mmCIF file of all heavy atoms in Angstrom:
data_model
loop_
_atom_site.group_PDB
_atom_site.id
_atom_site.type_symbol
_atom_site.label_atom_id
_atom_site.label_comp_id
_atom_site.label_asym_id
_atom_site.label_seq_id
_atom_site.Cartn_x
_atom_site.Cartn_y
_atom_site.Cartn_z
ATOM 1 N N ALA A 15 -61.864 -115.156 -26.399
ATOM 2 C CA ALA A 15 -61.500 -115.248 -24.983
ATOM 3 C C ALA A 15 -62.662 -115.686 -24.100
ATOM 4 O O ALA A 15 -62.463 -116.404 -23.120
ATOM 5 C CB ALA A 15 -60.947 -113.905 -24.500
ATOM 6 N N ASP A 16 -63.871 -115.268 -24.429
ATOM 7 C CA ASP A 16 -65.028 -115.593 -23.593
ATOM 8 C C ASP A 16 -66.012 -116.521 -24.292
ATOM 9 O O ASP A 16 -67.188 -116.581 -23.933
ATOM 10 C CB ASP A 16 -65.712 -114.299 -23.148
ATOM 11 C CG ASP A 16 -64.789 -113.456 -22.275
ATOM 12 O OD1 ASP A 16 -64.293 -113.981 -21.266
ATOM 13 O OD2 ASP A 16 -64.554 -112.282 -22.621
ATOM 14 N N ASP A 17 -65.530 -117.256 -25.277
ATOM 15 C CA ASP A 17 -66.344 -118.229 -26.017
ATOM 16 C C ASP A 17 -66.327 -119.558 -25.255
ATOM 17 O O ASP A 17 -65.265 -120.166 -25.096
ATOM 18 C CB ASP A 17 -65.755 -118.410 -27.418
ATOM 19 C CG ASP A 17 -66.570 -119.343 -28.295
ATOM 20 O OD1 ASP A 17 -67.242 -120.247 -27.758
ATOM 21 O OD2 ASP A 17 -66.511 -119.193 -29.523
ATOM 22 N N PRO A 18 -67.457 -120.040 -24.755
ATOM 23 C CA PRO A 18 -67.471 -121.297 -24.003
ATOM 24 C C PRO A 18 -66.937 -122.485 -24.797
ATOM 25 O O PRO A 18 -66.271 -123.368 -24.233
ATOM 26 C CB PRO A 18 -68.954 -121.488 -23.653
ATOM 27 C CG PRO A 18 -69.537 -120.114 -23.704
ATOM 28 C CD PRO A 18 -68.786 -119.400 -24.790
ATOM 29 N N ALA A 19 -67.207 -122.517 -26.093
ATOM 30 C CA ALA A 19 -66.705 -123.630 -26.910
ATOM 31 C C ALA A 19 -65.182 -123.574 -26.997
ATOM 32 O O ALA A 19 -64.501 -124.611 -26.946
ATOM 33 C CB ALA A 19 -67.325 -123.586 -28.305
ATOM 34 N N ALA A 20 -64.626 -122.377 -27.115
ATOM 35 C CA ALA A 20 -63.168 -122.233 -27.133
ATOM 36 C C ALA A 20 -62.580 -122.654 -25.802
ATOM 37 O O ALA A 20 -61.529 -123.305 -25.749
ATOM 38 C CB ALA A 20 -62.787 -120.796 -27.461
ATOM 39 N N ALA A 21 -63.250 -122.301 -24.708
ATOM 40 C CA ALA A 21 -62.759 -122.693 -23.386
ATOM 41 C C ALA A 21 -62.777 -124.214 -23.216
ATOM 42 O O ALA A 21 -61.852 -124.792 -22.631
ATOM 43 C CB ALA A 21 -63.602 -122.033 -22.300
ATOM 44 N N ALA A 22 -63.813 -124.867 -23.725
ATOM 45 C CA ALA A 22 -63.889 -126.329 -23.635
ATOM 46 C C ALA A 22 -62.756 -126.977 -24.431
ATOM 47 O O ALA A 22 -62.117 -127.934 -23.973
ATOM 48 C CB ALA A 22 -65.243 -126.820 -24.130
ATOM 49 N N LEU A 23 -62.499 -126.463 -25.642
ATOM 50 C CA LEU A 23 -61.378 -126.970 -26.426
ATOM 51 C C LEU A 23 -60.061 -126.670 -25.714
ATOM 52 O O LEU A 23 -59.159 -127.532 -25.648
ATOM 53 C CB LEU A 23 -61.381 -126.328 -27.812
ATOM 54 C CG LEU A 23 -60.183 -126.656 -28.716
ATOM 55 C CD1 LEU A 23 -60.048 -128.162 -28.942
ATOM 56 C CD2 LEU A 23 -60.290 -125.905 -30.041
ATOM 57 N N GLY A 24 -59.934 -125.466 -25.163
ATOM 58 C CA GLY A 24 -58.714 -125.107 -24.458
ATOM 59 C C GLY A 24 -58.446 -126.001 -23.264
ATOM 60 O O GLY A 24 -57.292 -126.361 -22.989
ATOM 61 N N GLN A 25 -59.485 -126.382 -22.549
ATOM 62 C CA GLN A 25 -59.309 -127.298 -21.420
ATOM 63 C C GLN A 25 -58.763 -128.640 -21.894
ATOM 64 O O GLN A 25 -57.851 -129.208 -21.293
ATOM 65 C CB GLN A 25 -60.635 -127.492 -20.695
ATOM 66 C CG GLN A 25 -60.536 -128.426 -19.487
ATOM 67 C CD GLN A 25 -61.862 -128.601 -18.784
ATOM 68 O OE1 GLN A 25 -62.880 -127.996 -19.162
ATOM 69 N NE2 GLN A 25 -61.891 -129.444 -17.766
ATOM 70 N N ALA A 26 -59.317 -129.158 -22.977
ATOM 71 C CA ALA A 26 -58.824 -130.430 -23.519
ATOM 72 C C ALA A 26 -57.363 -130.312 -23.938
ATOM 73 O O ALA A 26 -56.541 -131.204 -23.655
ATOM 74 C CB ALA A 26 -59.695 -130.858 -24.700
ATOM 75 N N LEU A 27 -57.009 -129.220 -24.587
ATOM 76 C CA LEU A 27 -55.629 -129.019 -25.020
ATOM 77 C C LEU A 27 -54.690 -128.853 -23.827
ATOM 78 O O LEU A 27 -53.548 -129.324 -23.852
ATOM 79 C CB LEU A 27 -55.547 -127.785 -25.925
ATOM 80 C CG LEU A 27 -56.277 -127.885 -27.264
ATOM 81 C CD1 LEU A 27 -56.347 -126.517 -27.939
ATOM 82 C CD2 LEU A 27 -55.596 -128.900 -28.186
ATOM 83 N N PHE A 28 -55.149 -128.188 -22.777
ATOM 84 C CA PHE A 28 -54.341 -127.951 -21.587
ATOM 85 C C PHE A 28 -53.871 -129.264 -20.960
ATOM 86 O O PHE A 28 -52.750 -129.353 -20.449
ATOM 87 C CB PHE A 28 -55.165 -127.140 -20.577
ATOM 88 C CG PHE A 28 -54.413 -126.678 -19.362
ATOM 89 C CD1 PHE A 28 -53.778 -125.450 -19.354
ATOM 90 C CD2 PHE A 28 -54.352 -127.458 -18.212
ATOM 91 C CE1 PHE A 28 -53.090 -125.005 -18.229
ATOM 92 C CE2 PHE A 28 -53.661 -127.032 -17.088
ATOM 93 C CZ PHE A 28 -53.029 -125.799 -17.094
ATOM 94 N N PHE A 29 -54.703 -130.282 -21.020
ATOM 95 C CA PHE A 29 -54.385 -131.569 -20.384
ATOM 96 C C PHE A 29 -53.845 -132.608 -21.368
ATOM 97 O O PHE A 29 -53.580 -133.741 -20.969
ATOM 98 C CB PHE A 29 -55.634 -132.130 -19.693
ATOM 99 C CG PHE A 29 -56.026 -131.399 -18.434
ATOM 100 C CD1 PHE A 29 -56.955 -130.379 -18.469
ATOM 101 C CD2 PHE A 29 -55.447 -131.734 -17.221
ATOM 102 C CE1 PHE A 29 -57.329 -129.703 -17.301
ATOM 103 C CE2 PHE A 29 -55.805 -131.075 -16.053
ATOM 104 C CZ PHE A 29 -56.742 -130.056 -16.098
ATOM 105 N N ASP A 30 -53.650 -132.249 -22.619
ATOM 106 C CA ASP A 30 -53.300 -133.226 -23.653
ATOM 107 C C ASP A 30 -51.782 -133.376 -23.774
ATOM 108 O O ASP A 30 -51.086 -132.456 -24.225
ATOM 109 C CB ASP A 30 -53.893 -132.786 -24.995
ATOM 110 C CG ASP A 30 -53.895 -133.915 -26.021
ATOM 111 O OD1 ASP A 30 -53.063 -134.840 -25.912
ATOM 112 O OD2 ASP A 30 -54.737 -133.854 -26.939
ATOM 113 N N THR A 31 -51.272 -134.536 -23.433
ATOM 114 C CA THR A 31 -49.819 -134.790 -23.516
ATOM 115 C C THR A 31 -49.342 -134.975 -24.953
ATOM 116 O O THR A 31 -48.129 -134.998 -25.196
ATOM 117 C CB THR A 31 -49.437 -136.031 -22.708
ATOM 118 O OG1 THR A 31 -50.165 -137.163 -23.202
ATOM 119 C CG2 THR A 31 -49.747 -135.852 -21.229
ATOM 120 N N ARG A 32 -50.272 -135.092 -25.897
ATOM 121 C CA ARG A 32 -49.854 -135.171 -27.298
ATOM 122 C C ARG A 32 -49.248 -133.859 -27.785
ATOM 123 O O ARG A 32 -48.583 -133.824 -28.826
ATOM 124 C CB ARG A 32 -51.047 -135.564 -28.174
ATOM 125 C CG ARG A 32 -51.426 -137.041 -28.049
ATOM 126 C CD ARG A 32 -52.747 -137.346 -28.699
ATOM 127 N NE ARG A 32 -53.844 -136.794 -27.910
ATOM 128 C CZ ARG A 32 -55.057 -137.345 -27.828
ATOM 129 N NH1 ARG A 32 -55.323 -138.445 -28.498
ATOM 130 N NH2 ARG A 32 -55.991 -136.784 -27.083
ATOM 131 N N LEU A 33 -49.456 -132.804 -27.024
ATOM 132 C CA LEU A 33 -48.851 -131.525 -27.373
ATOM 133 C C LEU A 33 -47.455 -131.437 -26.757
ATOM 134 O O LEU A 33 -47.124 -130.525 -25.990
ATOM 135 C CB LEU A 33 -49.721 -130.365 -26.893
ATOM 136 C CG LEU A 33 -51.126 -130.275 -27.499
ATOM 137 C CD1 LEU A 33 -51.829 -129.022 -27.013
ATOM 138 C CD2 LEU A 33 -51.069 -130.277 -29.022
ATOM 139 N N SER A 34 -46.628 -132.412 -27.097
ATOM 140 C CA SER A 34 -45.232 -132.422 -26.649
ATOM 141 C C SER A 34 -44.451 -133.354 -27.548
ATOM 142 O O SER A 34 -45.028 -134.203 -28.244
ATOM 143 C CB SER A 34 -45.119 -132.880 -25.195
ATOM 144 O OG SER A 34 -45.514 -134.228 -25.042
ATOM 145 N N SER A 35 -43.144 -133.208 -27.520
ATOM 146 C CA SER A 35 -42.306 -134.023 -28.401
ATOM 147 C C SER A 35 -42.245 -135.475 -27.967
ATOM 148 O O SER A 35 -42.042 -136.370 -28.793
ATOM 149 C CB SER A 35 -40.891 -133.443 -28.454
ATOM 150 O OG SER A 35 -40.293 -133.446 -27.168
ATOM 151 N N ASN A 36 -42.419 -135.748 -26.669
ATOM 152 C CA ASN A 36 -42.320 -137.134 -26.185
ATOM 153 C C ASN A 36 -43.664 -137.747 -25.801
ATOM 154 O O ASN A 36 -43.721 -138.879 -25.337
ATOM 155 C CB ASN A 36 -41.352 -137.216 -24.997
ATOM 156 C CG ASN A 36 -41.825 -136.409 -23.792
ATOM 157 O OD1 ASN A 36 -42.939 -135.886 -23.772
ATOM 158 N ND2 ASN A 36 -40.967 -136.300 -22.783
ATOM 159 N N GLY A 37 -44.754 -136.999 -25.967
ATOM 160 C CA GLY A 37 -46.078 -137.524 -25.656
ATOM 161 C C GLY A 37 -46.353 -137.682 -24.177
ATOM 162 O O GLY A 37 -47.323 -138.342 -23.794
ATOM 163 N N ARG A 38 -45.527 -137.040 -23.340
ATOM 164 C CA ARG A 38 -45.705 -137.200 -21.888
ATOM 165 C C ARG A 38 -45.886 -135.875 -21.152
ATOM 166 O O ARG A 38 -46.080 -135.877 -19.931
ATOM 167 C CB ARG A 38 -44.512 -137.948 -21.295
ATOM 168 C CG ARG A 38 -44.355 -139.364 -21.805
ATOM 169 C CD ARG A 38 -43.394 -140.175 -20.951
ATOM 170 N NE ARG A 38 -42.044 -139.635 -20.970
ATOM 171 C CZ ARG A 38 -41.107 -139.982 -21.850
ATOM 172 N NH1 ARG A 38 -41.387 -140.868 -22.789
ATOM 173 N NH2 ARG A 38 -39.903 -139.455 -21.798
ATOM 174 N N VAL A 39 -45.834 -134.763 -21.854
ATOM 175 C CA VAL A 39 -45.899 -133.456 -21.198
ATOM 176 C C VAL A 39 -47.119 -132.678 -21.687
ATOM 177 O O VAL A 39 -47.355 -132.563 -22.892
ATOM 178 C CB VAL A 39 -44.619 -132.642 -21.484
ATOM 179 C CG1 VAL A 39 -44.741 -131.233 -20.909
ATOM 180 C CG2 VAL A 39 -43.394 -133.352 -20.923
ATOM 181 N N SER A 40 -47.894 -132.167 -20.753
ATOM 182 C CA SER A 40 -49.007 -131.266 -21.065
ATOM 183 C C SER A 40 -48.811 -129.984 -20.264
ATOM 184 O O SER A 40 -47.907 -129.882 -19.420
ATOM 185 C CB SER A 40 -50.346 -131.905 -20.686
ATOM 186 O OG SER A 40 -50.490 -131.954 -19.272
ATOM 187 N N CYS A 41 -49.663 -129.005 -20.488
ATOM 188 C CA CYS A 41 -49.608 -127.795 -19.666
ATOM 189 C C CYS A 41 -49.774 -128.153 -18.191
ATOM 190 O O CYS A 41 -49.147 -127.546 -17.308
ATOM 191 C CB CYS A 41 -50.705 -126.816 -20.073
ATOM 192 S SG CYS A 41 -50.669 -126.290 -21.798
ATOM 193 N N ALA A 42 -50.631 -129.139 -17.912
ATOM 194 C CA ALA A 42 -50.909 -129.540 -16.535
ATOM 195 C C ALA A 42 -49.755 -130.283 -15.884
ATOM 196 O O ALA A 42 -49.800 -130.544 -14.679
ATOM 197 C CB ALA A 42 -52.172 -130.410 -16.506
ATOM 198 N N THR A 43 -48.724 -130.630 -16.640
ATOM 199 C CA THR A 43 -47.556 -131.280 -16.043
ATOM 200 C C THR A 43 -46.870 -130.340 -15.055
ATOM 201 O O THR A 43 -46.424 -130.770 -13.983
ATOM 202 C CB THR A 43 -46.564 -131.706 -17.135
ATOM 203 O OG1 THR A 43 -47.197 -132.665 -17.996
ATOM 204 C CG2 THR A 43 -45.301 -132.321 -16.538
ATOM 205 N N CYS A 44 -46.759 -129.066 -15.405
ATOM 206 C CA CYS A 44 -46.158 -128.076 -14.510
ATOM 207 C C CYS A 44 -47.213 -127.244 -13.784
ATOM 208 O O CYS A 44 -46.965 -126.777 -12.671
ATOM 209 C CB CYS A 44 -45.228 -127.155 -15.283
ATOM 210 S SG CYS A 44 -43.768 -127.977 -15.953
ATOM 211 N N HIS A 45 -48.356 -127.040 -14.426
ATOM 212 C CA HIS A 45 -49.435 -126.259 -13.815
ATOM 213 C C HIS A 45 -50.467 -127.241 -13.248
ATOM 214 O O HIS A 45 -51.494 -127.508 -13.860
ATOM 215 C CB HIS A 45 -50.055 -125.322 -14.847
ATOM 216 C CG HIS A 45 -49.093 -124.301 -15.374
ATOM 217 N ND1 HIS A 45 -48.710 -123.190 -14.658
ATOM 218 C CD2 HIS A 45 -48.411 -124.239 -16.547
ATOM 219 C CE1 HIS A 45 -47.850 -122.479 -15.363
ATOM 220 N NE2 HIS A 45 -47.640 -123.089 -16.515
ATOM 221 N N LEU A 46 -50.167 -127.751 -12.059
ATOM 222 C CA LEU A 46 -50.986 -128.796 -11.450
ATOM 223 C C LEU A 46 -52.261 -128.198 -10.848
ATOM 224 O O LEU A 46 -52.178 -127.337 -9.956
ATOM 225 C CB LEU A 46 -50.192 -129.510 -10.359
ATOM 226 C CG LEU A 46 -48.889 -130.193 -10.807
ATOM 227 C CD1 LEU A 46 -48.032 -130.543 -9.609
ATOM 228 C CD2 LEU A 46 -49.213 -131.442 -11.612
ATOM 229 N N PRO A 47 -53.427 -128.635 -11.283
ATOM 230 C CA PRO A 47 -54.666 -128.044 -10.777
ATOM 231 C C PRO A 47 -54.808 -128.120 -9.258
ATOM 232 O O PRO A 47 -55.332 -127.190 -8.643
ATOM 233 C CB PRO A 47 -55.756 -128.864 -11.483
ATOM 234 C CG PRO A 47 -55.110 -129.343 -12.732
ATOM 235 C CD PRO A 47 -53.687 -129.615 -12.363
ATOM 236 N N GLY A 48 -54.350 -129.203 -8.662
ATOM 237 C CA GLY A 48 -54.473 -129.350 -7.216
ATOM 238 C C GLY A 48 -53.437 -128.581 -6.425
ATOM 239 O O GLY A 48 -53.470 -128.592 -5.183
ATOM 240 N N ARG A 49 -52.521 -127.901 -7.112
ATOM 241 C CA ARG A 49 -51.453 -127.157 -6.444
ATOM 242 C C ARG A 49 -51.403 -125.707 -6.955
ATOM 243 O O ARG A 49 -50.334 -125.175 -7.214
ATOM 244 C CB ARG A 49 -50.095 -127.841 -6.692
ATOM 245 C CG ARG A 49 -49.993 -129.253 -6.136
ATOM 246 C CD ARG A 49 -50.116 -129.285 -4.627
ATOM 247 N NE ARG A 49 -49.162 -128.372 -3.999
ATOM 248 C CZ ARG A 49 -49.423 -127.694 -2.897
ATOM 249 N NH1 ARG A 49 -50.593 -127.799 -2.301
ATOM 250 N NH2 ARG A 49 -48.512 -126.885 -2.393
ATOM 251 N N GLN A 50 -52.589 -125.094 -7.070
ATOM 252 C CA GLN A 50 -52.695 -123.717 -7.554
ATOM 253 C C GLN A 50 -52.121 -123.554 -8.965
ATOM 254 O O GLN A 50 -51.628 -122.499 -9.337
ATOM 255 C CB GLN A 50 -51.974 -122.740 -6.614
ATOM 256 C CG GLN A 50 -52.537 -122.664 -5.221
ATOM 257 C CD GLN A 50 -51.855 -121.584 -4.413
ATOM 258 O OE1 GLN A 50 -51.706 -120.454 -4.859
ATOM 259 N NE2 GLN A 50 -51.433 -121.923 -3.217
ATOM 260 N N PHE A 51 -52.156 -124.618 -9.736
ATOM 261 C CA PHE A 51 -51.648 -124.594 -11.113
ATOM 262 C C PHE A 51 -50.161 -124.212 -11.147
ATOM 263 O O PHE A 51 -49.718 -123.484 -12.030
ATOM 264 C CB PHE A 51 -52.494 -123.671 -11.997
ATOM 265 C CG PHE A 51 -53.839 -124.262 -12.326
ATOM 266 C CD1 PHE A 51 -54.916 -124.120 -11.450
ATOM 267 C CD2 PHE A 51 -54.030 -124.994 -13.480
ATOM 268 C CE1 PHE A 51 -56.156 -124.679 -11.739
ATOM 269 C CE2 PHE A 51 -55.265 -125.555 -13.782
ATOM 270 C CZ PHE A 51 -56.327 -125.407 -12.902
ATOM 271 N N GLN A 52 -49.392 -124.728 -10.190
ATOM 272 C CA GLN A 52 -47.932 -124.660 -10.201
ATOM 273 C C GLN A 52 -47.435 -126.013 -9.693
ATOM 274 O O GLN A 52 -48.224 -126.926 -9.489
ATOM 275 C CB GLN A 52 -47.411 -123.483 -9.381
ATOM 276 C CG GLN A 52 -47.895 -123.449 -7.938
ATOM 277 C CD GLN A 52 -47.025 -124.246 -6.995
ATOM 278 O OE1 GLN A 52 -45.821 -124.114 -7.005
ATOM 279 N NE2 GLN A 52 -47.637 -125.078 -6.158
ATOM 280 N N ASP A 53 -46.116 -126.177 -9.521
ATOM 281 C CA ASP A 53 -45.599 -127.534 -9.334
ATOM 282 C C ASP A 53 -44.701 -127.762 -8.122
ATOM 283 O O ASP A 53 -44.140 -128.846 -7.960
ATOM 284 C CB ASP A 53 -44.842 -127.975 -10.598
ATOM 285 C CG ASP A 53 -43.706 -127.030 -10.966
ATOM 286 O OD1 ASP A 53 -43.413 -126.099 -10.188
ATOM 287 O OD2 ASP A 53 -43.117 -127.219 -12.049
ATOM 288 N N ASP A 54 -44.528 -126.765 -7.263
ATOM 289 C CA ASP A 54 -43.795 -126.945 -5.995
ATOM 290 C C ASP A 54 -42.309 -127.236 -6.154
ATOM 291 O O ASP A 54 -41.678 -127.716 -5.207
ATOM 292 C CB ASP A 54 -44.420 -128.068 -5.154
ATOM 293 C CG ASP A 54 -45.831 -127.759 -4.707
ATOM 294 O OD1 ASP A 54 -46.110 -126.603 -4.379
ATOM 295 O OD2 ASP A 54 -46.668 -128.690 -4.692
ATOM 296 N N VAL A 55 -41.725 -126.977 -7.299
ATOM 297 C CA VAL A 55 -40.289 -127.207 -7.455
ATOM 298 C C VAL A 55 -39.619 -125.907 -7.892
ATOM 299 O O VAL A 55 -40.257 -125.001 -8.432
ATOM 300 C CB VAL A 55 -39.985 -128.334 -8.472
ATOM 301 C CG1 VAL A 55 -40.536 -129.664 -7.975
ATOM 302 C CG2 VAL A 55 -40.541 -128.008 -9.845
ATOM 303 N N ALA A 56 -38.318 -125.836 -7.654
ATOM 304 C CA ALA A 56 -37.583 -124.601 -7.942
ATOM 305 C C ALA A 56 -37.525 -124.307 -9.435
ATOM 306 O O ALA A 56 -37.683 -123.156 -9.855
ATOM 307 C CB ALA A 56 -36.175 -124.697 -7.368
ATOM 308 N N LEU A 57 -37.280 -125.343 -10.243
ATOM 309 C CA LEU A 57 -37.155 -125.178 -11.686
ATOM 310 C C LEU A 57 -38.089 -126.162 -12.364
ATOM 311 O O LEU A 57 -38.021 -127.368 -12.124
ATOM 312 C CB LEU A 57 -35.702 -125.417 -12.132
ATOM 313 C CG LEU A 57 -34.649 -124.522 -11.469
ATOM 314 C CD1 LEU A 57 -33.244 -124.946 -11.914
ATOM 315 C CD2 LEU A 57 -34.890 -123.052 -11.797
ATOM 316 N N ALA A 58 -38.945 -125.656 -13.223
ATOM 317 C CA ALA A 58 -39.934 -126.505 -13.874
ATOM 318 C C ALA A 58 -39.265 -127.529 -14.793
ATOM 319 O O ALA A 58 -38.228 -127.256 -15.396
ATOM 320 C CB ALA A 58 -40.902 -125.641 -14.688
ATOM 321 N N SER A 59 -39.892 -128.694 -14.896
ATOM 322 C CA SER A 59 -39.369 -129.757 -15.755
ATOM 323 C C SER A 59 -40.441 -130.227 -16.717
ATOM 324 O O SER A 59 -41.531 -130.603 -16.299
ATOM 325 C CB SER A 59 -38.889 -130.947 -14.918
ATOM 326 O OG SER A 59 -37.765 -130.596 -14.146
ATOM 327 N N GLY A 60 -40.099 -130.177 -18.014
ATOM 328 C CA GLY A 60 -40.948 -130.749 -19.045
ATOM 329 C C GLY A 60 -40.173 -131.858 -19.716
ATOM 330 O O GLY A 60 -39.797 -132.841 -19.071
ATOM 331 N N VAL A 61 -39.880 -131.708 -21.006
ATOM 332 C CA VAL A 61 -39.003 -132.681 -21.661
ATOM 333 C C VAL A 61 -37.557 -132.467 -21.216
ATOM 334 O O VAL A 61 -36.686 -133.311 -21.411
ATOM 335 C CB VAL A 61 -39.119 -132.617 -23.195
ATOM 336 C CG1 VAL A 61 -40.534 -132.964 -23.639
ATOM 337 C CG2 VAL A 61 -38.720 -131.238 -23.731
#
């Protein structure tokens, strides 16, 4: 949890759209960094 190397890898994974079935969705798709890590819509949309 407090390993800097794990955090660096986790950051890369958080933004990686390859972690989805269509190659277009990452954690940051719904958790937008510039919007308090949320997305301003009633129901979240991924694939």
Side-chain angles (χ1 to χ4, degrees):
D16 297 305
D17 183 332
L23 174 58
Q25 181 180 358
L27 294 169
F28 187 91
F29 288 94
D30 195 335
T31 58
R32 285 169 288 212
L33 298 184
S34 65
S35 61
N36 63 7
R38 296 194 297 270
V39 175
S40 71
C41 302
T43 298
C44 294
H45 297 284
L46 301 165
R49 298 297 307 145
Q50 297 186 49
F51 287 85
Q52 55 87 48
D53 57 7
D54 296 322
V55 296
L57 303 175
S59 293
V61 298

